[in-house]
Amino acid sequence: MKHILSLFVLMLTAMPVSAQFAIPRDAKLEAKIEKTLQKMTLDEKVGQMLELNLDIMGKYDANRVWQLNETMLDTLISKWKVGSILNAPGTRAATVAQWQEWIRLIQKKSMKYIGIPDIYGLDHNHGVTYTQGGTLFPQPINMAASFNTELVKTGAEITAYESRAGNCPWVYNPVVDLGRDPRWPRIWESYGEDAVVNAKMVTAQIKGYQGDDPNHIDRFHVGTSTKHYFAYGAPWTGKDRTPAYVSPQMLREKYFEPFRAAAIAGTLTMMVNSGSVNGVPLHASYEYLTKWLKEDLGWDGMLVTDWADINSLYTREHVAKDKKDAIRIAINAGIDMSMDPYSVDFCILLKELVQEGKVSMTRIDDAVRRILRVKYRLNLFDEPNTGGKGYEKFGSDEHAQKALQAAEESMVLLKNQGNLLPLTSHSSPLKILLTGPNANQMRCLMGGWSYTWQGSNAEDLAEKYNTIYEAMCNKYGKDNIILEQGVTYRERGRYFEENKPQIEQAVAAAAQADVIIACIGENSYTETPGNLTDLWLSENQRNLVKELAKTGKPIILVLNEGRPRLIADIEPLAKAIVDVLLPGNYGGDALANLLCGDANFSAKMPYTYPKEINSLNTYDYKVSEVVGTMAGAYDYDARVSLQWPFGYGLSYTTYEYSNLKVDKSTFTADDILTVSVDVKNTGSKAGKEAVLLYSSDLVASIVPDNRRLRDFTKIELQPGETKTVTFQLPAKNLAFVGADGRWTLEEGDFLLRVGRLSVPTLCRETKIWSSPNI
Ligand code: BGC
C-alpha cells in the first residue's frame, strides 16, 4: 500500500498544475513508468534521452551491402544506454527483411543491457519511404487537395501496418507546417495553407497511425511525431531553416492550431522546428515548448529535436556559446530527446550539467518519464518486435488500390476550355504528344522522401510503377503516344538542373499529334537542397510550351510540382490544365484514368496559386490587402492577384449550391450554429464534391481576415442527385486572437459562406477568454 501511495504522489508531482491532460492517462501504465524510472541510474536516464543515426553503427561491405556492426552496437547500447535510433543507411530504402533483422538486433541488445526497448524512428511520410516494395501514397499536399479525411486516415493505417511489417514502431509524421509561402521547399509535406485543413487532417491521420486508443497502441499501429513544432513553414527568406517573423495573433490562431489538434488527438511525440520565430529558436523556447504545449494543453507526450538541432543553437543560431550551453538551454526549455545523429557527447555533457545543478533532476525525470510513456504506450516492453506473420498485406494490391484512389482524388482540374477533357478517341484514334521533363520519370511523381531522402537515384526501386508515359500507353495504346520530352532534368545534378533543351524535336513531333500534353514542373527535393532563387517555372520549360503553342495544336498542361511555380505567361496558351502535385507511385495511372474520363476530378487547390512574384497571398489575407485605386492624381493600388484561389477545382460534372441556412440569426459564444446547404449534381457524370464552409467577420477590433475556412466535408453525388450538407459550427470557432493576445469573439455581424452563397448572422455579446486555449 505504502508503495502504491508513493507512486501516486510521484505521479501527481509530475503533473502540470492544471492536471488536464490532452488524453486521459492509464493509471496502470503510469505506475509501470514510475517503477522503471525509479530503478534507473543517471547514465541510463541521459542515454534514453539520446537518439543516434543508424549510419554510425555499420558500414558498406565489399558488395555495397550495408552491414550493422554488432560490436559498435554493443558499445553504444551497453555503455551509452542509447534510447533511440533513426534513419535508413545512406538514406536509401532497405528490404522488409533487413529492417526486421536490424531492429530485432537493436531490441535484443537494448533489453539485454538496459532492460528498456529502443524506439526506432523513420521518415515514413507518405507511405514507407525507407522500405522497398511498400505502398507510397500521394504526398500530404495531394491528400489535402482531396479534402477527404477518410482517405487520409486509411493512408495512415496502411503506412502504420507496413512500417510495423518492417519492425518500425515510430514515424516522423504527420507534418502540419502551414504551407503559406510558395517559396519554401517543404510546403508539399503538409496539408497546405489553411489551419483548419491541417487540423482536421492531422486528427484523421493520427487516428489512422495510432488507432483508437493512444494509451494502448497495437502491433499494427505506430506512434506519431507531429512536426515541426511550429511556424517552420514561414521563413522570411523563403529558404529552409531560416528565421520566421510571425505576429503573435497569427502564431496562436493559425500556426499553433494543427499542433493543438494533434495533442488532443493524442500524438505520442512531436518534433521541433529547426528554426527561430521572432528571434527565438524553438529549441530554446520554454514558452512554446513547456508552457504552450505541456502546461497549457496538458500534453504528456515526448518532444524530440530535429536533426542535430541542439547543436544548431550554438553553430547556427548563436544563442549558446558551446554544445554544453546549448544542451542546458534546450533541455531546460523542454526538449526530452536529442536527435544528435553522430555523437554521444550529449550524454557526457548532460550528466555534467545535472551534477553542476544546471539542469535539475526533476527536469531529467520528466523527460525520461515522457520517453518511457511513449515506449509503454507502444507496448514495446512486452512486444519489442513486430513483422512476419500477420503482415501479408505489405505492398499488396489492396493497398495499391487505396493509393490509386487517393491519387485520383488529389489531382486538380484547373482549366478545361471547350471541354477538351476528357480526351476520348471517338471514331479515329487520337494521337497524343507527351512532352516535358516530367513525362517519363517516377521520381518527380513521387517527390522527396521516396526510397531516398531527396527522392533521387531510386528509379530502380520504382521500376514496377508506371510513369505518365507508360500509363498513357496502357490507356491509349503505345502507337498513339509520341514521347518527345524537349526538356529533361539532369538526373545526377541538383534538382533544378536541366540538360540542354531539344525543343525543336518536340515541336517537330507535334506535327504528328492531335493534342499535346506538356508534363512540366519540378524534379524531386526536400529541405535545404530544395531552396530556390526564382519562383518562375524554368525558362526552358516555359519556352517549350511557347514554341509548341505556335503549332496551333491544343495543349494540356500537366503540372507536377512540389510548390506552385509561376506560369502566368504560358497559362493562356493551354486549353486545359491539371495540377497533379506529387501523386506518388500510382500518379501515372491515376492521371491516365482522369484524362480519359474513366475517373472524375474532385480535388481542390490546397493553397493559393500565385500569378505574380509580388503577390504571394493566402486566401485568408487581411481585408486591407486589397486597396482600390486612390482618387485624384494618385494612381496607387494594391490588389490580390492570383492564378487560382485556394479551394478552386473543376470536375467533369457541375454542382449547384442552394438553400444555405443557419439556424440562429443571433448567437453568443456558447452556441453551436447549425449551417446547412443543398448541393445538386447538375451534370451528367457521377462525382465527388468537397463542400467548404467559410466565415467572414465584417468588423473587428483588429483588421479581420477576408474569410476563414471553418469546416469541410466531401460527398458523392449521382447525376441529378441532391444532398443536404449540415455543419455543426461551435460559435467560439469564430473567435480571433486580439491585440492583447487573448481569444476574442466580438459583438457584430458575420457572414457564413458556402460556394457563392452567404448567409448573415450576428454575435450578440462580446466574449474575451482568459485561458490560452478555448
Ligand atoms: C528533417 C525532419 C526529419 C529528420 C529525420 C530532418 O532533417 O527536417 O523532417 O524527420 O531530419 O530524418
Side-chain angles (χ1 to χ4, degrees), residues 49-50 229 270-273 281-286 288-290 294 301-306 309-310 313 326-339 346 350 359 363-364 366-368 370-371:
M49 293 170 69
L50 175 64
Y229 179 73
M270 293 203 202
M271 189 186 290
V272 178
N273 166 7
L282 268 292
H283 284 80
S285 173
Y286 181 88
Y288 296 137
L289 303 186
T290 301
K294 295 180 174 179
M302 182 259 275
L303 275 175
V304 62
T305 72
D306 200 345
D309 272 333
I310 293 190
L313 292 181
I327 295 172
R328 176 187 62 77
I329 293 171
I331 302 300
N332 285 335
I335 292 293
D336 302 309
M337 180 182 277
S338 174
M339 186 193 290
F346 172 84
L350 181 56
V359 173
R363 175 71 269 271
I364 298 289
D366 173 51
V368 177
R370 287 166 183 274
I371 294 166

Side-chain angles (χ1 to χ4, degrees), residues 728-745:
Q728 298 295 331
L729 175 66
K732 70 178 170 60
N733 289 11
L734 300 174
F736 61 90
V737 176
D740 61 358
R742 292 193 291 166
W743 281 104
T744 306
L745 179 66

Side-chain angles (χ1 to χ4, degrees), residues 86-371:
L86 86 149
N87 228 341
T91 69
R92 186 178 157 92
T95 63
V96 181
Q98 281 170 320
W99 279 122
Q100 280 178 15
E101 187 192 315
W102 294 332
I103 299 179
R104 193 170 288 274
L105 196 60
I106 292 167
Q107 294 297 31
K108 193 170 137 201
K109 308 272 180 201
S110 301
M111 294 312 280
K112 176 173 164 198
Y113 294 121
I114 339 177
I116 297 174
D118 173 86
I119 178 160
Y120 202 97
L122 284 172
D123 286 286
H124 282 172
N125 289 357
H126 62 124
V128 284
T129 306
Y130 286 135
T131 314
Q132 295 177 22
T135 311
L136 287 186
F137 272 76
Q139 296 283 359
I141 198 66
N142 289 65
M143 301 305 271
S146 81
F147 282 91
N148 186 338
T149 50
E150 269 308 303
L151 253 185
V152 167
K153 179 168 175 246
T154 306
E157 271 162 1
I158 290 174
T159 304
Y161 175 101
E162 295 197 354
S163 296
R164 285 292 205 151
N167 208 358
C168 171
W170 188 28
V171 295
Y172 302 129
N173 208 241
V175 183
V176 284
D177 305 314
L178 302 189
R180 296 171 71 80
D181 186 330
R183 299 168 305 163
W184 188 52
R186 302 189 78 171
I187 64 169
W188 50 273
E189 292 185 47
S190 78
Y191 295 105
E193 75 187 38
D194 178 64
V196 168
V197 175
N198 277 270
K200 282 191 72 157
M201 293 304 195
V202 81
T203 305
Q205 210 180 1
I206 287 171
K207 273 229 168 328
Y209 275 135
Q210 297 191 166
D212 291 330
D213 180 0
N215 276 309
H216 304 101
I217 295 177
D218 69 25
R219 59 200 307 269
F220 297 110
H221 291 87
V222 292
T224 51
S225 197
T226 305
K227 65 188 186 183
H228 307 78
Y229 179 73
F230 72 136
Y232 178 37
W236 177 252
T237 64
K239 303 223 158 94
D240 189 40
R241 287 172 160 84
T242 59
Y245 303 96
V246 183
S247 75
Q249 287 80 25
M250 217 191 236
L251 262 188
R252 172 73 76 186
E253 231 181 273
K254 296 180 185 170
Y255 287 95
F256 185 60
E257 188 52 25
F259 289 94
R260 192 174 76 91
I264 291 166
T267 187
L268 289 200
T269 76
M270 293 203 202
M271 189 186 290
V272 178
N273 166 7
S274 290
S276 65
V277 175
N278 303 332
V280 180
L282 268 292
H283 284 80
S285 173
Y286 181 88
E287 170 80 11
Y288 296 137
L289 303 186
T290 301
K291 178 90 181 47
W292 284 37
L293 261 190
K294 295 180 174 179
E295 291 179 4
D296 292 349
L297 281 183
W299 180 66
D300 62 7
M302 182 259 275
L303 275 175
V304 62
T305 72
D306 200 345
W307 191 263
D309 272 333
I310 293 190
N311 302 343
S312 309
L313 292 181
Y314 74 99
T315 57
R316 187 180 63 215
E317 307 294 340
H318 295 238
V319 297
K321 66 177 190 299
D322 54 23
K323 181 158 182 169
K324 188 166 171 180
D325 199 29
I327 295 172
R328 176 187 62 77
I329 293 171
I331 302 300
N332 285 335
I335 292 293
D336 302 309
M337 180 182 277
S338 174
M339 186 193 290
D340 195 358
Y342 301 111
S343 156
V344 291
D345 287 356
F346 172 84
C347 298
I348 303 169
L349 298 172
L350 181 56
K351 191 174 169 190
E352 283 174 17
L353 285 164
V354 175
Q355 286 160 346
E356 291 159 13
K358 291 183 180 143
V359 173
S360 71
M361 228 16 240
T362 317
R363 175 71 269 271
I364 298 289
D365 282 348
D366 173 51
V368 177
R369 199 177 273 121
R370 287 166 183 274
I371 294 166

Side-chain angles (χ1 to χ4, degrees), residues 590-602:
L591 181 66
N593 289 346
L594 286 162
L595 290 182
C596 80
D598 285 352
N600 197 353
F601 287 96
S602 67

Side-chain angles (χ1 to χ4, degrees), residues 314-572:
Y314 74 99
T315 57
R316 187 180 63 215
E317 307 294 340
H318 295 238
V319 297
K321 66 177 190 299
D322 54 23
K323 181 158 182 169
K324 188 166 171 180
D325 199 29
I327 295 172
R328 176 187 62 77
I329 293 171
I331 302 300
N332 285 335
I335 292 293
D336 302 309
M337 180 182 277
S338 174
M339 186 193 290
D340 195 358
Y342 301 111
S343 156
V344 291
D345 287 356
F346 172 84
C347 298
I348 303 169
L349 298 172
L350 181 56
K351 191 174 169 190
E352 283 174 17
L353 285 164
V354 175
Q355 286 160 346
E356 291 159 13
K358 291 183 180 143
V359 173
S360 71
M361 228 16 240
T362 317
R363 175 71 269 271
I364 298 289
D365 282 348
D366 173 51
V368 177
R369 199 177 273 121
R370 287 166 183 274
I371 294 166
L372 292 175
R373 185 172 294 122
V374 174
K375 294 184 176 184
Y376 273 110
R377 282 178 168 167
L378 281 165
N379 199 28
L380 294 176
F381 282 83
D382 290 337
E383 196 176 18
N385 295 295
T386 55
K389 208 167 171 308
Y391 293 89
E392 292 76 16
K393 287 201 267 179
F394 176 89
S396 62
D397 285 350
E398 188 185 322
H399 290 182
Q401 274 311 315
K402 286 291 172 195
L404 175 67
Q405 183 198 339
E408 286 174 357
E409 281 204 33
S410 72
M411 296 182 171
V412 196
L413 180 62
L414 293 169
K415 187 175 185 182
N416 195 13
Q417 261 177 13
N419 291 332
L420 176 63
L421 298 177
L423 273 186
T424 39
S425 43
H426 299 293
S427 43
S428 61
L430 201 65
K431 283 260 182 219
I432 300 170
L433 168 67
L434 265 187
T435 185
N438 297 47
N440 197 24
Q441 267 77 7
M442 281 313 298
R443 170 181 168 186
C444 38
L445 288 177
M446 293 184 298
W449 302 113
S450 302
Y451 306 120
T452 62
W453 176 43
Q454 293 294 315
S456 51
N457 306 327
E459 291 281 327
D460 57 320
L461 300 180
E463 231 161 312
K464 76 170 201 188
Y465 307 102
N466 293 320
T467 64
I468 296 176
Y469 169 67
E470 288 158 351
M472 291 296 282
C473 289
N474 291 342
K475 189 62 81 182
Y476 289 88
K478 202 168 188 318
D479 293 346
N480 298 318
I481 307 290
I482 309 158
L483 178 69
E484 196 59 69
Q485 294 193 256
V487 178
T488 49
Y489 298 118
R490 209 159 75 74
E491 287 300 337
R492 300 284 152 185
R494 294 164 72 187
Y495 83 93
F496 51 82
E497 291 179 31
E498 292 168 352
N499 297 312
K500 191 164 177 292
Q502 297 180 318
I503 294 175
E504 342 56 68
Q505 295 185 11
V507 172
Q512 316 303 319
D514 302 302
V515 59
I516 299 166
I517 302 183
C519 304
I520 54 179
E522 298 182 317
N523 213 348
S524 71
Y525 54 78
T526 183
E527 300 189 43
T528 313
N531 282 345
L532 49 58
T533 48
D534 185 355
L535 194 60
W536 279 92
L537 187 76
S538 93
E539 201 174 354
N540 287 338
Q541 295 192 45
R542 287 185 290 124
N543 285 343
L544 172 70
V545 176
K546 286 175 191 167
E547 290 306 312
L548 286 167
K550 292 182 188 157
T551 66
K553 302 276 165 91
I555 296 182
I556 300 162
L557 294 185
V558 170
L559 308 175
N560 171 203
E561 51 190 10
R563 58 194 147 196
R565 302 295 293 265
L566 299 178
I567 52 161
D569 57 346
I570 55 169
E571 182 275 330

